[in-house]
Structures are given as C-alpha cells and as structure tokens.
Amino acid sequence: MIDAQSYFGLVDLYARYAQVVDSSDWDKWPDFFLAEGTYRLQPRENHDAGLPLCLLALESRAMIEDRVFGVRETMYHDPYYQRHVVGTPRVIEVTSGADGEEIRSEANYIVFRTKRDGMTEVFNAGCYRDVIVKTPEGLKFKSRLCVYDSELIPNSVIYPI
C-alpha cells in the first residue's frame, strides 16, 4: 500500500518517538504532532465497547505542550525511567485527506518502568492506533490513540506512552 521509502519513514517515526519519550526529551515530544494533533490513552475495554472515556485526552498540540509543562514543572511524582518496545507497524490504509496523504497504522507496544530504587516492571502494554500525515517536515501524528490492555495501571501515568 506504500512504497519502501515511505514505510521506512513510518518505522523511523515510531523508533524516534520511543527514543524521545524514553530519554525524557520532553521538548521534542510535541514536535511529533500536527497543530491539531491528538493524543489519547484509553483502556481496551472502553475502546472495544465504543465508549469514549479515556484516561488522558489531549485534543491539540497546545494541550500536548501544556502536558510537557506539567510533567516538567508542576507534577509531583516519584521519578522513573521508561523503556518502550514497539512492534513493527502495520499499515491499515492510505488515503487522501484534507491534510494530504494520511496513513492509518497500528503497532503493539510494551512499556517497562524502572524506579531508581526498584526493579524493572511491566508498566503498560497495548496497541498504538495512529493516523499519520506526510508534511514538508516529515511524518506527523494527526492522532495517536494508545489502547492499553489492562484497566489497572500501577500508580498514575505521568509520562507519555
């Protein structure tokens, strides 16, 4: 459905995203999204039932930037490291939209969390369901929906999944 160079760009987008959030380079996280881009974190049970309730719903890049400010400046939490393992993205559909060519794709993920004084644990597992747009600056997320498998998550989600 897409050529090899475009697919390589998609794989690179997923890899760069994981590297940025794993290295806590929060200033770069919003750059992955269009100005009207969305980021949502939703339990699988709600997603499968067609229920809209999300644990986290950021409806624009401005809200994503505000989340970065919160993570860096206002949220008090026990710091931890994250490590993403992301499966190979699967292209679902390529269409022409108002923003140009759109790629709908998905990839499984697992996030490990390590607290500075503790053992590494599985923090979150699920599937990214993305709509990605080709822009002059490269591929950007129009929407990133993280559908996580378990309704129970340890503590709270501070950092992006």
Side-chain angles (χ1 to χ4, degrees), residues 34-147:
L34 297 175
E36 66 279 3
T38 63
Y39 173 85
R40 294 184 180 103
L41 186 58
Q42 183 178 40
R44 183 177 184 169
E45 183 175 6
N46 287 1
H47 181 269
D48 291 350
L51 300 172
L53 185 65
C54 294
L55 178 66
L56 186 63
L58 306 175
E59 301 297 326
S60 68
R61 183 172 166 161
M63 288 181 77
I64 293 167
E65 290 168 350
D66 188 58
R67 181 68 180 195
V68 168
F69 179 79
V71 167
R72 297 178 90 188
E73 304 295 332
T74 64
M75 292 181 183
Y76 178 77
H77 65 282
D78 190 13
Y80 58 90
Y81 302 111
Q82 292 190 134
R83 184 68 54 206
H84 286 68
V85 178
V86 181
T88 304
R90 184 171 74 92
V91 175
I92 308 296
E93 181 179 35
V94 179
T95 59
S96 293
D99 296 315
E101 186 176 77
E102 293 183 356
I103 302 168
R104 285 187 49 241
S105 63
E106 62 182 32
N108 293 329
Y109 71 83
I110 190 164
V111 181
F112 295 96
R113 177 175 76 172
T114 307
K115 291 189 176 181
R116 292 181 179 152
D117 60 350
M119 299 290 293
T120 298
E121 62 184 349
V122 174
F123 178 65
N124 194 279
C127 181
Y128 293 127
R129 297 174 188 267
D130 300 316
V131 178
I132 297 160
V133 176
K134 290 183 179 181
T135 73
E137 297 83 34
L139 296 177
K140 303 270 186 183
F141 291 108
K142 181 175 184 176
S143 67
R144 169 151 267 199
L145 173 62
C146 310
V147 179

Side-chain angles (χ1 to χ4, degrees), residues 20 24-32 61 65 68-69 72-73:
V20 163
S24 303
D25 198 353
W26 306 128
D27 291 332
K28 291 183 181 175
W29 182 52
D31 294 339
F32 286 95
R61 183 172 166 161
E65 290 168 350
V68 168
F69 179 79
R72 297 178 90 188
E73 304 295 332

